[in-house]
């Protein structure tokens, strides 16, 4: 018997560019999942919201609580307008939220975008808070996307997401492995802002630069890169460890951009090797997949062992929103949605808190 579910997925990434909204129709037939992204939009943050999110790690408890509800209202009203525009009647929303703190060794992972506020302003139930249960079970709470990849993209075995943070995953018949490799668009956008740009489109400025060997080596010597997975990264790590290297370097900005591209390409390929991957075709998604110079560099460092390719643009831009819609659906159905093989936790969990009035799962 075929089952069908229409779910909204929301993703707000560490690159701070805006909210991704995707209406995803999932079908389960003969034990296999398929999907269609029926509509999708990226809704940009204004300058004030970008500034608040960038500085969220330094806010007081009161200020952070206010921002949590403010962002939840923004998410909820955005979904309500999106559904009205496209004539959609989804079952519920799966919201990743916007990560402020991620320190799993302290049992801390915090995503804001208050789900009760989302539910109120969208008039839809919400599944949110996907990371904490895994962290409480001894896991990293990240990466979460590999679980969705395993079921939604059966034609691929290796995956790379190039968002604010780059992460890799490798799937075999009986196992999946993955971890965060390095900062990605967080670093590139940080440098681009020094030139008055929000981002370096297609890597055009970076491509005109030259690699600084000293900056390249300094980045690669950071302690995180000496650790084995499972492991994960957060924005506060970037602010503490990476941003000072970029800000205190005498390297011209265009050369720093070029160097950071090389750093990403080096660490991603090191990560793929670390997963024990043989020759693989790697599916690349996230905003960085639209950076031609970065994609070119990944393939150069891949040396023919790893071939990096981007799928259709809608999947490139909205894969994470798609996956969080799917993880929300698995939670709704009472199925596991976080893999302990990837996060290092003691067991697989069906993670996510429920908000609003859900219909009984079928």
């Amino acid at each position: 018997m075929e089952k069908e579910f229409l779910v909204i997925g929301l993703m707000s990434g560490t690159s701070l560019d805006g909210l991704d909204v995707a209406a995803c129709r999932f079908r389960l037939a003969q034990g296999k999942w398929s999907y269609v992204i029926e509509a999708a939009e990226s809704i940009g943050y204004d300058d004030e919201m970008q500034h608040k999110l960038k500085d969220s790690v330094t806010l007081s408890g009161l200020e952070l609580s206010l921002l949590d509800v403010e962002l939840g209202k923004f998410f909820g009203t955005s979904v309500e307008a999106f559904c009205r525009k496209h004539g959609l009647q989804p079952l519920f929303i799966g919201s990743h939220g916007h990560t402020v703190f991620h320190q799993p060794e302290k049992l801390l992972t915090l995503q804001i975008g208050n789900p009760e506020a989302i539910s109120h302003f969208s008039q839809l139930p919400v599944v949110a808070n996907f990371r904490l249960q895994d962290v409480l079970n001894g896991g990293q709470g990240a990466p979460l996307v590999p679980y969705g990849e395993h079921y939604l993209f059966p034609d691929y075995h290796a995956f790379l997401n190039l968002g604010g943070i780059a992460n890799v995953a490798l799937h075999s018949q009986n196992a999946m492995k993955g971890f965060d490799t390095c900062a990605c668009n967080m670093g590139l956008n940080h440098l681009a802002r020094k030139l008055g740009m929000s981002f370096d489109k297609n890597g055009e400025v970076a491509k005109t630069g030259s690699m600084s060997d000293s900056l390249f080596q300094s980045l690669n010597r950071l302690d995180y890169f000496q650790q084995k997975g499972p492991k994960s990264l957060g924005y506060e790590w970037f602010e503490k460890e990476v941003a000072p290297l970029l800000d205190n370097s005498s390297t011209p900005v265009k050369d720093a951009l070029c160097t950071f591209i090389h750093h990403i390409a080096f660490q991603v390929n090191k990560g793929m090797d670390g997963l024990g991957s043989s020759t693989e075709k790697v599916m690349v998604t996230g905003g960085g997949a639209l950076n031609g110079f970065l994609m070119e560099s990944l393939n150069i460092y891949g040396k023919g062992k790893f071939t990096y390719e981007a799928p259709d643009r809608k999947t490139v831009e909205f894969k994470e929103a798609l996956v969080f819609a799917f993880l929300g659906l698995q939670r709704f159905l009472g199925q596991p949605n976080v893999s302990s093989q990837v996060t290092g936790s003691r067991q697989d969990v069906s993670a996510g808190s429920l908000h609003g009035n859900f219909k009984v799962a079928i």
Side-chain angles (χ1 to χ4, degrees):
M1 179 180 175
E2 183 173 307
K3 296 179 181 179
E4 187 173 290
F5 310 87
L6 181 63
V7 182
I8 298 288
L10 301 182
M11 180 66 197
S12 176
T14 47
S15 51
L16 304 175
D17 47 0
L19 175 68
D20 290 340
V21 185
C24 309
R25 189 172 297 278
F26 299 102
R27 292 183 178 91
L28 178 63
Q30 298 180 334
K32 295 184 178 180
W33 286 101
S34 62
Y35 75 92
V36 175
I37 300 177
E38 294 197 349
E41 293 180 12
S42 289
I43 303 168
Y45 295 129
D46 60 24
D47 290 344
E48 182 182 4
M49 180 60 77
Q50 276 198 342
H51 181 76
K52 287 180 179 179
L53 293 175
K54 184 176 184 297
D55 293 342
S56 58
V57 295
T58 66
L59 296 179
S60 69
L62 174 60
E63 291 167 330
L64 188 58
S65 297
L66 290 169
L67 180 58
D68 177 40
V69 176
E70 180 184 358
L71 191 63
K73 180 180 179 180
F74 177 82
F75 285 7
T77 55
S78 295
V79 169
E80 191 277 332
F82 175 83
C83 290
R84 193 161 22 87
K85 175 181 176 181
H86 295 285
L88 300 169
Q89 292 184 311
L91 287 170
F92 58 86
I93 298 166
S95 176
H96 171 269
H98 186 89
T99 299
V100 177
F101 301 116
H102 185 70
Q103 300 175 35
E105 71 281 0
K106 298 179 181 178
L107 301 183
L108 171 63
T109 183
L110 176 66
Q111 289 73 44
I112 61 171
N114 188 280
E116 286 291 333
I118 298 173
S119 181
H120 175 80
F121 288 102
S122 68
Q123 290 299 292
L124 289 168
V126 176
V127 183
N129 195 23
F130 288 98
R131 299 187 184 274
L132 183 57
Q133 190 175 350
D134 181 79
V135 168
L136 294 173
N137 274 277
Q140 291 288 308
L144 300 185
V145 170
Y147 185 92
E149 292 169 341
H150 183 74
Y151 291 97
L152 300 178
F153 305 106
D155 294 337
Y156 285 87
H157 300 292
F159 299 88
L160 167 63
N161 182 67
L162 297 173
I165 293 167
N167 54 66
V168 293
L170 181 68
H171 300 236
S172 63
Q173 188 172 1
N174 300 313
M176 59 181 89
K177 297 183 287 186
F179 56 85
D180 291 342
T181 57
C182 59
C184 184
N185 292 332
M186 270 195 283
L188 295 175
N189 295 350
H190 180 86
L191 289 166
R193 285 191 286 269
K194 294 177 183 290
L195 299 176
M197 306 183 300
S198 57
F199 67 101
D200 178 16
K201 185 177 181 180
N202 205 36
E204 291 172 1
V205 175
K207 197 167 186 176
T208 66
S210 300
M211 189 179 84
S212 162
D213 187 66
S214 61
L215 179 58
F216 182 75
Q217 297 298 335
S218 294
L219 289 165
N220 292 326
R221 278 196 297 266
L222 290 172
D223 288 344
Y224 181 81
F225 303 122
Q226 321 315 318
Q227 301 170 21
K228 294 182 179 180
K231 57 182 181 176
S232 61
L233 293 169
Y235 183 72
E236 64 267 48
W237 172 84
F238 173 79
E239 285 279 275
K240 180 181 177 182
E241 302 288 345
V242 180
L245 290 178
L246 300 178
D247 293 341
N248 297 328
S249 173
S250 60
T251 306
V253 175
K254 69 175 183 177
D255 294 341
L257 277 165
C258 178
T259 303
F260 207 80
I261 290 279
H262 281 270
H263 166 67
I264 296 167
F266 174 78
Q267 288 297 339
V268 163
N269 279 284
K270 179 183 173 185
M272 289 301 303
D273 270 325
L275 291 176
S277 178
S278 57
T279 302
E280 291 286 352
K281 180 175 65 172
V282 184
M283 178 180 172
V284 187
T285 54
L290 305 176
N291 184 319
F293 183 48
L294 177 53
M295 291 293 290
E296 177 186 319
S297 300
L298 285 164
N299 280 299
I300 290 172
Y301 278 85
K303 298 178 181 178
K305 182 178 180 182
F306 305 117
T307 302
Y308 297 89
E309 59 183 39
D312 63 280
R313 183 154 183 163
K314 187 177 282 188
T315 303
V316 165
E317 294 187 27
F318 296 100
K319 188 183 89 170
E320 287 190 297
L322 164 71
V323 167
F324 281 99
F326 183 71
L327 298 188
L329 177 57
Q330 296 307 296
R331 176 67 180 90
F332 173 69
L333 296 173
Q335 298 299 312
N337 59 4
V338 180
S339 170
S340 58
Q341 295 174 350
V342 175
T343 65
S345 65
R346 290 184 289 275
Q347 61 189 26
D348 293 354
V349 294
S350 183
S353 53
L354 307 182
H355 305 263
N357 297 318
F358 280 83
K359 296 179 181 178
V360 176
I362 300 171

